[in-house]
Structure formats: C-alpha cells, structure tokens
Amino acid sequence: MIKIVKILKKNSAFIFQMAQFSSKPTASEVLTAYLMQCNEPPWTSYFVKYRSVKDDQFGMSNFNWKVGSSNYQILRTGCFPYIKYHCSRRRVEDLGVSDKFMRAIKVVNLGIPCLLYGLAATQLIRHTEIVHTTKGPVTIYFLLPEHKGSHH
C-alpha cells in the first residue's frame, strides 16, 4: 500500500494532467469560445451535443452572457441529443421572469416538444464548425451555414 501511495504522489502531476486532458469543456466555455472566435457577432444560433460538453448551464433558458465587450441574450434549451443556443447581442436586461416562464412551459409540456426538436435537428443539420476550447476542439452544428456579422 505504501508503495502505491508513493507512486501516486510521484506521478500525481501527470495523472492530474491526464484527467484534465480527457475531461470535456463546459457548455459555457464552448459558448464563450465560439462567440469570441467569431469576433462577437450580432447573433448566432447553434447546437452542441450533450456528450461533447459538461452541461454547467442546466436549467437556464433565457439569460444574459458577457463576452468581451458585448452582452448576449441567450435562449437555451435542451433538445436531445443536443443543447440549442440562440444568441443575440443586446443590452443587459432582467430576464428572470422570462427564464422562469420558459422553464415552466418546458415542464408543463413534459419536454416533449424539445425532444421532437432535437430529433428533427438530427435530420436537418447541414453545417458544422469547430470551436477551440482549453479542453480541445468541439464540433457545433447548424441547420444552415451562417453569414458571420450579418444581422437577424
């Protein structure tokens, strides 16, 4: 047992690095990285697979998100096998009531429309892009290619 502890102590930095390397980025890191990668676009709308990220924004449906010099109003929903993000560069607003309302609608509908949206998206997605994160590249998905910098 003492020999195992010594080996672990000796190699703990390597083990920690391997654990970090193998872990997934958070959904919020992908969101921030993509918006920065696109030079803070006026808007964007994309899907990311649940299995590609740690879902650190679970339960958040409508919220403000600061990136660089911009604020984004985010509409977010789980639509298995994806998480869907719609991001609009806008001023900061109190979105608390809207967030609670959207969550309530999802609960009342038992998430069925969200599931159907995700299943339909698996057939409708036509474009992908790579987002570079601290945990490695993540593929995000689009129904159509976006014209970067265009307005709604």
Side-chain angles (χ1 to χ4, degrees):
M1 179 69 165
I2 294 173
K3 192 174 186 178
I4 293 171
V5 171
K6 285 181 182 179
I7 292 170
L8 287 175
K9 281 184 180 180
K10 184 178 178 183
N11 296 307
S12 63
F14 175 74
I15 291 167
F16 180 72
Q17 286 174 337
M18 291 306 293
Q20 281 188 314
F21 178 74
S22 66
S23 63
K24 301 180 227 177
T26 60
S28 62
E29 180 184 357
V30 172
L31 172 61
T32 299
Y34 182 64
L35 292 171
M36 291 182 76
Q37 191 172 298
C38 293
N39 298 315
E40 300 175 34
W43 72 277
T44 189
S45 182
Y46 70 88
F47 298 86
V48 63
K49 288 186 178 178
Y50 271 109
R51 71 175 186 226
S52 299
V53 296
K54 291 180 193 171
D55 189 5
D56 65 327
Q57 295 172 321
F58 181 81
M60 298 171 71
S61 296
N62 192 200
F63 55 95
N64 290 293
W65 194 255
K66 178 86 169 132
V67 174
S69 62
S70 301
N71 179 69
Y72 287 88
Q73 289 185 10
I74 308 296
L75 292 170
R76 178 193 179 280
T77 194
C79 50
F80 187 82
Y82 303 103
I83 303 169
K84 170 69 177 196
Y85 284 87
H86 185 278
C87 316
S88 297
R89 193 172 57 205
R90 304 212 33 207
R91 63 182 168 78
V92 175
E93 292 181 40
D94 181 2
L95 301 173
V97 172
S98 173
D99 182 56
K100 288 177 182 147
F101 178 72
M102 288 182 194
R103 267 189 274 155
I105 288 175
K106 292 175 194 177
V107 170
V108 167
N109 287 321
L110 305 173
I112 294 169
C114 295
L115 176 63
L116 294 175
Y117 184 38
L119 294 174
T122 63
Q123 302 304 308
L124 298 173
I125 286 171
R126 298 287 179 257
H127 181 69
T128 63
E129 290 189 28
I130 301 297
V131 178
H132 301 283
T133 73
T134 61
K135 307 284 186 183
V138 173
T139 302
I140 60 174
Y141 303 85
F142 301 83
L143 298 178
L144 298 169
E146 293 182 344
H147 299 288
K148 306 292 184 217
S150 67
H151 294 276
H152 294 267

